[in-house]
Amino acid sequence: MRGAAQFAGDCGVERSTHVAAGNGLSCTGTHTHTMSAHSPSVRVFGLLATCCCTAFLCLHHALRGEQQPEPELGVGTPDAEPGSFPLFCFSVAFLLCYFLIKYFCRPAPRQCLAPRAAAAAAVAPLPTPASRKMVLETYYEHQLKLSPHVLGHSKAHVTKIVSELVKVGRTEQDSTLTFRGDFVQIGSAYEQHKINRPDCFDVLVPIKVPQVLKLEPAFDLGRKELPFYLRGTAICRLKLSSKAEWSKYKKGFSDCFCVHFQKKSALSSTQVLRWFYSKMHRCLNVIRYQCEERCSITLSVVNDQLILKLLPKSDYVCCHISMSVRLIPAVHVGDSVFLVAQPWTRTEAVLRPLKQEAFWHVYLSKHEQKFLNWLKIQTPNNSCHLKCLQILKALRDLGCKEFDQKFSLQWNTILCSYNMKTALFHLLLKGPLEAWDEKFLMERLEDLVRFWRERLQKQELMHFFLGNKNVPDILTVPRKIKEVLPVNLLAGYDGALLDLVSFQLLKTWNCAHLIMKLNNHKHLHSKIANSVRC
């Protein structure tokens, strides 16, 4: 109710919804106008009343003057002129009429108009579906779509620098952990749904343990007694393959990287993360000098994440983009499944006996990329499924600008890129893939918004791989992944918060054409201002 009242206050001037055929999302378009302080009928009535009163006053004084007897001769009379009193009355009546007319006929001051009335004066007619689609297409082409040339240059810079870092890390052999020698490019920049700028990249850096140890991941951790933020994680247990050689590593490895969990030795994600930070700093110091001519490089920890900052020194203006590369340490446990070390410093230790440092997040990025490649073959050549994802991500970013800081953070967390991609995957498997043709863009966007609202209202968005036995067989997802308990990505969020997010999502979608048109104008003005400064 609170969210509805807020929405009614914000959109009291104009509520508009554009209904696609058979989509089920509708909202009646209404226009409300607020009257000014004095309507025209009230002003005319006041003017007529003033004129009538003035006429009656003059008539009364004229009749009274005719009824008075003429004074007798010889009787003392004042020296005042006979017409002085009527002249005084006419002057008073004239002033009274002037002030009353000025009061009733003056226009209402602009600052006294209600905000709704001021906005209602500028209300435009509801756009047609075709014009609404044109606005979204224009915004996509000018703001969201990335230049393949610039994206290619950015990827090349990232690949070259990261490969040199990993090469140095593999050469520097430690007695404990070491780099495997390769890296895995993940995220939206490598899946063709990055928006705005090619300035953020995610890279997995696989590490390996000594050969005397064997990794035994445990994925059956969907138990209800676990906190919601630990569901969908795994334990990376360690098993000795040769006890004779273990004596060489036991003191240096076990004390630094192991944690005891359920009476067994497991790899500590926290300790591995600390080692990875220091290892990357040492590798950067080795290659920094030879890279100074190509680009400037800095390495820092931001929100417990290792970020590599790159600024190429190229002659091409298009390549002067500051890029951030998130370097993520990961352990490969087979079947294209990675366990990723996550910082637990910001997570509340609700159940201390669980030893959160023993938990690793499960990454199935290779399977996600394989699914996207399969969709590319199965869908029409001009499929809009990735375009829908990009537009919805843009609406998420534009919509949160009007929120307070707390709700904006919650909004972006619930509607994060991974959750949005998961929702799209589920929706793609629900209907025929031929329906994702480019000409059905608006209908598919309506479907995606409606699907999101259903998930938010039911407080349930299931992980696409973990515990999902309906994944296409072409993906060859490991059986141990399919058989774990299903993981709800919306677990732990308050129902009222999810309802508010659902409501604001619908509001943002209904006003998408207005939001994008306004943002497009702002972007154009800023470009003009920057060109003038230059």
Side-chain angles (χ1 to χ4, degrees):
M1 295 298 293
R2 178 183 175 186
Q6 181 182 356
F7 177 71
D10 293 340
C11 297
V13 179
E14 177 182 7
R15 297 180 186 172
S16 62
T17 295
H18 314 279
V19 183
N23 56 25
L25 284 178
S26 63
C27 182
T28 305
T30 61
H31 300 272
T32 303
H33 297 272
T34 304
M35 294 182 62
S36 60
H38 303 283
S39 63
S41 59
V42 176
R43 295 178 182 176
V44 172
F45 176 78
L47 179 60
L48 292 176
T50 304
C51 294
C52 290
C53 290
T54 306
F56 278 118
L57 181 62
C58 296
L59 181 61
H60 170 70
H61 282 287
L63 294 175
R64 185 178 177 183
E66 292 179 356
Q67 293 177 359
Q68 287 182 355
E70 295 183 1
E72 298 179 0
L73 293 174
V75 179
T77 58
D79 296 334
E81 297 180 0
S84 62
F85 181 75
L87 181 61
F88 172 75
C89 293
F90 278 119
S91 300
V92 173
F94 176 78
L95 290 175
L96 179 63
C97 182
Y98 170 77
F99 284 116
L100 288 177
I101 291 174
K102 183 179 179 181
Y103 173 76
F104 282 109
C105 295
R106 66 176 179 178
R110 293 179 62 89
Q111 62 270 21
C112 294
L113 288 175
R116 294 184 182 180
V123 167
L126 295 178
T128 61
S131 62
R132 192 165 186 254
K133 181 180 179 181
M134 185 180 298
V135 172
L136 267 64
E137 291 276 11
T138 303
Y139 187 83
Y140 173 81
E141 292 292 332
H142 293 162
Q143 303 290 339
L144 305 182
K145 189 176 180 180
L146 298 181
S147 166
H149 172 75
V150 179
L151 181 61
H153 273 277
S154 301
K155 287 182 179 180
H157 282 298
V158 171
T159 300
K160 189 168 185 62
I161 299 300
V162 174
S163 60
E164 292 180 4
L165 282 172
V166 172
K167 183 179 179 180
V168 172
R170 185 182 181 184
T171 304
E172 289 187 349
Q173 294 290 337
D174 293 341
S175 59
T176 53
L177 297 177
T178 185
F179 291 167
R180 195 175 69 175
D182 62 339
F183 57 93
V184 181
Q185 299 166 328
I186 64 173
S188 58
Y190 300 100
E191 296 173 355
Q192 282 73 53
H193 56 88
K194 185 88 174 76
I195 61 174
N196 297 328
R197 287 166 56 88
D199 54 358
C200 295
F201 301 87
D202 293 332
V203 175
L204 289 182
V205 181
I207 59 177
K208 60 181 182 179
V209 297
Q211 294 181 354
V212 297
L213 294 175
K214 183 180 179 181
L215 300 176
E216 290 187 341
F219 297 98
D220 54 342
L221 300 172
R223 299 186 301 270
K224 293 184 179 181
E225 61 267 18
L226 285 176
F228 68 90
Y229 54 81
L230 289 181
R231 296 171 190 173
T233 57
I235 300 293
C236 190
R237 294 195 176 101
L238 300 172
K239 184 179 179 180
L240 288 176
S241 59
S242 175
K243 293 184 179 180
E245 296 183 12
W246 174 239
S247 58
K248 302 178 183 178
Y249 303 96
K250 184 175 182 180
K251 184 175 180 61
F253 187 87
S254 182
D255 295 345
C256 296
F257 301 105
C258 293
V259 59
H260 291 282
F261 183 80
Q262 296 177 347
K263 299 180 180 180
K264 292 183 179 181
S265 182
L267 194 62
S268 170
S269 62
T270 303
Q271 298 300 328
V272 169
L273 204 57
R274 292 174 181 171
W275 168 86
F276 182 75
Y277 289 173
S278 60
K279 178 79 171 180
M280 273 297 178
H281 277 286
R282 292 198 304 270
C283 295
L284 180 60
N285 290 333
V286 174
I287 70 167
R288 189 189 298 273
Y289 178 76
Q290 65 188 37
C291 294
E292 282 183 350
E293 295 183 359
R294 298 200 309 267
C295 62
S296 59
I297 309 176
T298 58
L299 193 63
S300 59
V301 178
V302 181
N303 295 329
D304 295 329
Q305 297 177 343
L306 189 63
I307 305 297
L308 182 69
K309 288 279 190 179
L310 304 177
L311 182 59
K313 298 178 180 178
S314 172
D315 294 334
Y316 299 100
V317 177
C318 66
C319 301
H320 287 193
I321 299 177
S322 178
M323 294 172 286
S324 299
V325 184
R326 186 164 63 114
L327 301 173
I328 309 170
V331 177
H332 184 218
V333 293
D335 299 316
S336 299
V337 178
F338 290 89
L339 301 184
V340 174
Q342 294 287 336
W344 299 106
T345 55
R346 293 177 294 164
T347 307
E348 297 180 4
V350 179
L351 301 175
R352 291 185 179 277
L354 287 178
K355 295 184 179 179
Q356 297 177 50
E357 61 177 311
F359 291 84
W360 296 67
H361 273 276
V362 181
Y363 267 42
L364 299 162
S365 304
K366 285 286 188 179
H367 295 281
E368 293 172 3
Q369 293 175 1
K370 189 175 182 179
F371 182 57
L372 288 171
N373 292 333
W374 178 77
L375 287 172
K376 192 174 182 180
I377 300 173
Q378 299 297 321
T379 55
N381 293 331
N382 58 344
S383 176
C384 64
H385 62 282
L386 291 180
K387 192 173 184 178
C388 289
L389 179 59
Q390 291 173 298
I391 292 176
L392 198 61
K393 288 164 66 174
L395 287 177
R396 173 203 62 194
D397 297 340
L398 294 174
C400 71
K401 292 182 178 181
E402 303 299 326
F403 303 149
D404 59 74
Q405 185 176 3
K406 181 180 179 181
F407 182 67
S408 178
L409 179 61
Q410 295 169 334
W411 166 275
N412 287 317
T413 303
I414 294 172
L415 300 179
C416 65
S417 295
Y418 186 79
N419 288 355
M420 283 196 168
K421 183 170 64 174
T422 301
L424 178 66
F425 285 176
H426 283 295
L427 185 61
L428 282 164
L429 293 184
K430 290 175 74 71
L433 295 178
E434 293 78 11
W436 289 89
D437 192 278
E438 173 72 23
K439 61 184 178 182
F440 302 120
L441 173 65
M442 299 304 293
E443 288 82 357
R444 299 292 78 81
L445 278 170
E446 290 274 4
D447 290 343
L448 188 55
V449 172
R450 184 174 65 251
F451 180 80
W452 251 113
R453 295 197 69 225
E454 291 174 355
R455 296 299 92 208
L456 290 168
Q457 290 168 2
K458 292 182 179 180
Q459 304 176 26
E460 182 182 271
L461 177 64
M462 306 310 297
H463 196 285
F464 188 72
F465 293 101
L466 295 175
N468 185 7
K469 298 180 181 179
N470 298 322
V471 176
D473 295 333
I474 189 67
L475 300 180
T476 62
V477 177
R479 182 179 176 182
K480 55 190 175 182
I481 296 296
K482 291 183 179 181
E483 293 181 349
V484 300
L485 290 179
V487 177
N488 182 12
L489 299 178
L490 297 181
Y493 292 105
D494 182 64
L497 173 62
L498 295 179
D499 287 341
L500 183 57
V501 171
S502 172
F503 192 82
Q504 293 291 349
L505 180 62
L506 177 62
K507 173 185 174 182
T508 304
W509 167 242
N510 289 340
C511 302
H513 62 289
L514 299 176
I515 296 174
M516 288 185 171
K517 185 181 293 186
L518 179 62
N519 192 267
N520 223 354
H521 291 334
K522 289 182 178 178
H523 181 74
L524 180 61
H525 291 163
S526 63
K527 287 182 66 175
I528 295 175
N530 292 336
S531 62
V532 169
R533 291 194 195 100
C534 295

